[in-house]
Amino acid sequence: FYYFIRLCLEKILLQCIPQSRTLSGADAINALRPFYFAVHPDFFGQHPKEREVNENSLKRLNGYLENLQKPGFRSFKPTQLTFYVREREPNSSNVQESFSASGFRAVSFTLHTRDLLSTVLDILNSCSLSTEHVQSLNVNSQPHKEVKSTANRPIKWDKTYYSFTGFKDPEEELEQAQRVETTLISWLDDNEASAVKKLKRSLPLRKELERLKFELSCQLQLSDIRWQRSWGIAHRCSQLHSLSRLVQQRPEVLKNVKGRTVVFTDRSGMSAAGHIMLGTMDVHHHWTKIFERLPNYYKLQKRLLFLEDRISQLLGGIQVIYIEELQPLMTLEEYYETLDSFYNKLCDSRLPFHPRSLRGLQMILESDRYAPGLHEFGHFTIPTVCDPATLQWFIFSKAQEARENLKRKEEMMITEKELMDTSAERFSLDRLYKEPSVSSAQMIDCCKRLLEESLPYLQGMHLCISHFYSVLQDGDLCIPWNWK
């Protein structure tokens, strides 16, 4: 009887609802172009933390969109995402958002839709982007709350219909899904098996990666081999194989790399920190040129160190430093030009700093700031365009606080390492690490709370402390530092 009623109702619905094409994957990508333009990591080159957050969120969003397009996809779990959106001014919205002084804002929203159209509209509306181009697609789906359309409005049944037929009320399901907050235990319950499977599959490649890294480090007498971004194990092995082939083909060009660090990144050259950068999209010909230029890079590096020393003398002995984790990736040439410009400005102003009065303090130069600041780790962040008089007053007024922050940083780093070691041992983790965008204070808080839990799921796993829940392609478990 119930089955007969359901067939009749479905037939009526099909007659009542106008027929129009379904939103395709290609349509979804086109509709999301304004969103991708606003959040694409390439536009956040000078903001490493925000770039990494957007990279991670895009990976999870792409996974969500792929699942929606799979035949027979039914299950859906609310997925919370955070993006830094490039925008000029805030708009009123129910979405949690906060603005920085750098011309972008943080937007957090939760996806819980079951079709592409509703998902696309959710994303655009959450980021306060126009949806007019989406409405013109004339697709057949549940209309979004922001879309003024009555043609495709679905029939809204009385609650008694669901209690009589036994069908699930979609509104009730949606409300329940929104009320359910992901917890660490529930997420591990759902994802541990998948992570273990991926981790086991990646183990041979992980061993191969360690072997290649060890052999190349010994052969070239390198200090270290690193990766700027979180590429998968297979990708990293491929890059090391490529470098190994170059060593075999042109061993003479690598004679000047002894004691250096090689970093696989987006472009080739030498970094501001003095590391050899190998662009992953470049061919051997480009890498060879970089290795051949190393003697010239080393000469420029000496001039750069001399320039840092001269700036330090003009500013009372404060040390000029470059912090890879907190600053955008700059080439040696770019950093030298920044220092040179700042040095000339100081020489022209002739600030009256007493010699060695600021010894023990540290500062970094930033080209995208307009006001000086003091970081929680104790170093000053000085804009290259900073007015000399403002610079002098700020450093003098914050010097004592900077020394206290530096001391607290040392204590915090020790505490962080101890808690990470204890956590790794307590849960028998194969590896515990964090993303660069997670601060020491956040990591300490995370580890303290983890140690209060019983988590047998983590034995033998690779655990990354991040801002989101996710399982990486090689089986690493990522959990937010402020997990519930």
Side-chain angles (χ1 to χ4, degrees):
F1 173 70
Y2 294 146
Y3 179 69
F4 173 75
I5 291 179
R6 183 169 184 172
L7 286 176
C8 292
L9 290 171
E10 287 178 352
K11 185 176 181 180
I12 294 171
L13 283 171
L14 289 172
Q15 292 172 346
C16 293
I17 298 177
Q19 295 299 306
S20 56
R21 65 188 183 89
T22 306
L23 187 68
S24 68
D27 288 333
I29 292 174
N30 286 330
L32 287 173
R33 282 184 187 277
F35 165 75
Y36 287 130
F37 182 77
V39 304
H40 199 282
D42 287 352
F43 293 112
F44 292 80
Q46 305 230 344
H47 304 280
K49 173 187 172 182
E50 289 77 11
R51 175 185 177 121
E52 186 174 2
V53 168
N54 281 11
E55 282 181 348
N56 289 332
S57 291
L58 280 173
K59 288 178 186 176
R60 301 176 68 234
L61 172 59
N62 290 337
Y64 190 95
L65 295 175
E66 286 174 9
N67 282 335
L68 287 179
Q69 297 174 69
K70 290 178 180 177
F73 176 74
R74 290 292 177 268
S75 64
F76 80 105
K77 298 174 185 175
T79 301
Q80 185 173 11
L81 300 172
T82 296
F83 286 99
Y84 286 94
V85 181
R86 298 187 302 131
E87 201 162 66
R88 278 77 58 201
E89 57 184 3
N91 294 316
S92 58
S93 171
N94 294 328
V95 181
Q96 177 190 344
E97 28 180 83
S98 60
F99 281 78
S100 72
S102 304
F104 51 76
R105 61 191 172 103
V107 177
S108 295
F109 55 91
T110 302
L111 293 179
H112 40 62
T113 45
R114 297 190 183 195
D115 63 271
L116 278 175
L117 176 60
S118 298
T119 303
V120 166
L121 291 170
D122 261 339
I123 294 167
L124 294 174
N125 279 292
S126 296
C127 297
S128 303
L129 298 171
S130 173
T131 60
E132 291 180 6
H133 61 294
V134 185
Q135 297 175 43
S136 66
L137 291 174
N138 188 32
V139 293
N140 180 23
S141 180
Q142 296 284 351
H144 193 268
K145 61 183 177 183
E146 299 292 334
V147 181
K148 306 291 185 180
S149 174
T150 57
N152 290 343
R153 180 170 54 85
I155 295 175
K156 186 173 182 179
W157 299 103
D158 188 88
K159 298 291 183 183
T160 54
Y161 160 74
Y162 298 106
S163 60
F164 178 74
T165 62
F167 299 157
K168 292 184 178 180
D169 183 347
E171 288 188 359
E172 203 172 279
E173 279 189 298
L174 179 59
E175 290 175 5
Q176 185 177 358
Q178 290 174 319
R179 288 195 300 268
V180 174
E181 186 175 24
T182 302
T183 65
L184 178 61
I185 300 297
S186 65
W187 186 82
L188 288 174
D189 278 337
D190 293 339
N191 293 277
E192 185 230 359
S194 169
V196 169
K197 184 179 179 180
K198 290 180 178 179
L199 180 61
K200 286 182 178 178
R201 194 168 56 225
S202 74
L203 289 179
L205 272 178
R206 289 180 186 272
K207 291 180 180 178
E208 174 72 359
L209 180 68
E210 288 303 313
R211 182 189 68 79
L212 288 168
K213 186 176 177 181
F214 176 77
E215 288 183 358
L216 281 170
S217 296
C218 293
Q219 187 176 0
L220 301 176
Q221 299 184 55
L222 296 172
S223 174
D224 194 10
I225 298 177
R226 301 180 194 167
W227 286 264
Q228 179 203 358
R229 299 166 70 180
S230 53
W231 285 295
I233 304 297
H235 196 168
R236 296 187 182 200
C237 283
S238 175
Q239 291 158 2
L240 291 185
H241 278 299
S242 190
L243 178 58
S244 182
R245 285 194 298 273
L246 179 60
V247 173
Q248 295 170 5
Q249 295 166 5
R250 298 289 304 277
E252 73 280 0
V253 301
L254 291 113
K255 60 185 178 182
N256 295 311
V257 301
K258 182 179 179 180
R260 293 285 168 168
T261 293
V262 168
V263 182
F264 289 97
T265 181
D266 294 328
R267 53 179 174 167
S268 297
M270 179 168 277
S271 73
H275 303 324
I276 301 167
M277 301 189 303
L278 299 181
T280 57
M281 299 301 291
D282 292 339
V283 295
H284 282 182
H285 175 67
H286 295 102
W287 289 5
T288 300
K289 282 187 174 181
I290 296 302
F291 289 124
E292 289 174 343
R293 288 188 200 135
L294 286 180
N296 292 330
Y297 278 127
Y298 296 156
K299 290 177 184 177
L300 180 60
Q301 189 177 27
K302 287 182 180 179
R303 291 167 56 194
L304 185 147
L305 294 173
F306 175 76
L307 203 51
E308 285 183 339
D309 188 56
R310 293 294 297 150
I311 293 173
S312 176
Q313 292 177 24
L314 291 173
L315 295 179
I318 190 170
Q319 183 185 8
V320 183
I321 60 174
Y322 176 83
I323 306 176
E324 288 181 281
E325 294 80 9
L326 300 179
Q327 293 181 258
L329 185 67
M330 300 175 69
T331 64
L332 199 66
E333 299 94 330
E334 291 169 343
Y335 190 47
Y336 182 84
E337 289 177 8
T338 300
L339 288 172
D340 188 52
S341 173
F342 186 71
Y343 172 68
N344 291 330
K345 192 170 187 175
L346 288 179
C347 288
D348 293 340
S349 64
R350 301 190 180 187
L351 293 175
F353 281 97
H354 189 279
R356 297 183 295 280
S357 60
L358 299 176
R359 287 186 67 180
L361 296 181
Q362 300 173 337
M363 61 168 276
I364 64 174
L365 283 174
E366 293 195 354
S367 57
D368 61 340
R369 292 177 64 97
Y370 295 93
L374 177 61
H375 195 272
E376 61 176 342
F377 279 174
H379 60 264
F380 290 96
T381 54
I382 307 299
T384 54
V385 297
C386 187
D387 173 66
T390 302
L391 171 65
Q392 182 185 17
W393 174 85
F394 187 82
I395 291 180
F396 278 147
S397 64
K398 297 287 186 178
Q400 183 55 38
E401 184 181 348
R403 295 186 191 280
E404 293 171 358
N405 284 7
L406 281 169
K407 184 179 179 181
R408 187 161 57 249
K409 171 193 172 184
E410 294 176 5
E411 297 170 350
M412 192 175 290
M413 298 291 280
I414 294 172
T415 303
E416 180 185 23
K417 187 178 185 309
E418 289 176 348
L419 284 170
M420 287 180 69
D421 291 343
T422 304
S423 299
E425 184 179 353
R426 161 80 181 278
F427 300 114
S428 301
L429 289 166
D430 196 55
R431 186 187 178 203
L432 173 61
Y433 62 105
K434 67 173 185 176
E435 290 181 350
S437 55
V438 176
S439 69
S440 292
Q442 292 170 337
M443 190 67 179
I444 288 172
D445 174 70
C446 176
C447 288
K448 282 182 176 178
R449 294 189 299 113
L450 279 176
L451 289 169
E452 296 174 357
E453 302 290 328
S454 175
L455 301 169
Y457 317 84
L458 299 180
Q459 185 173 355
M461 300 302 293
H462 291 239
L463 181 65
C464 173
I465 307 304
S466 174
H467 297 276
F468 312 99
Y469 286 106
S470 64
V471 178
L472 301 186
Q473 64 188 62
D474 295 304
D476 295 44
L477 287 167
C478 292
I479 65 170
W481 69 270
N482 56 344
W483 54 271
K484 298 291 188 290

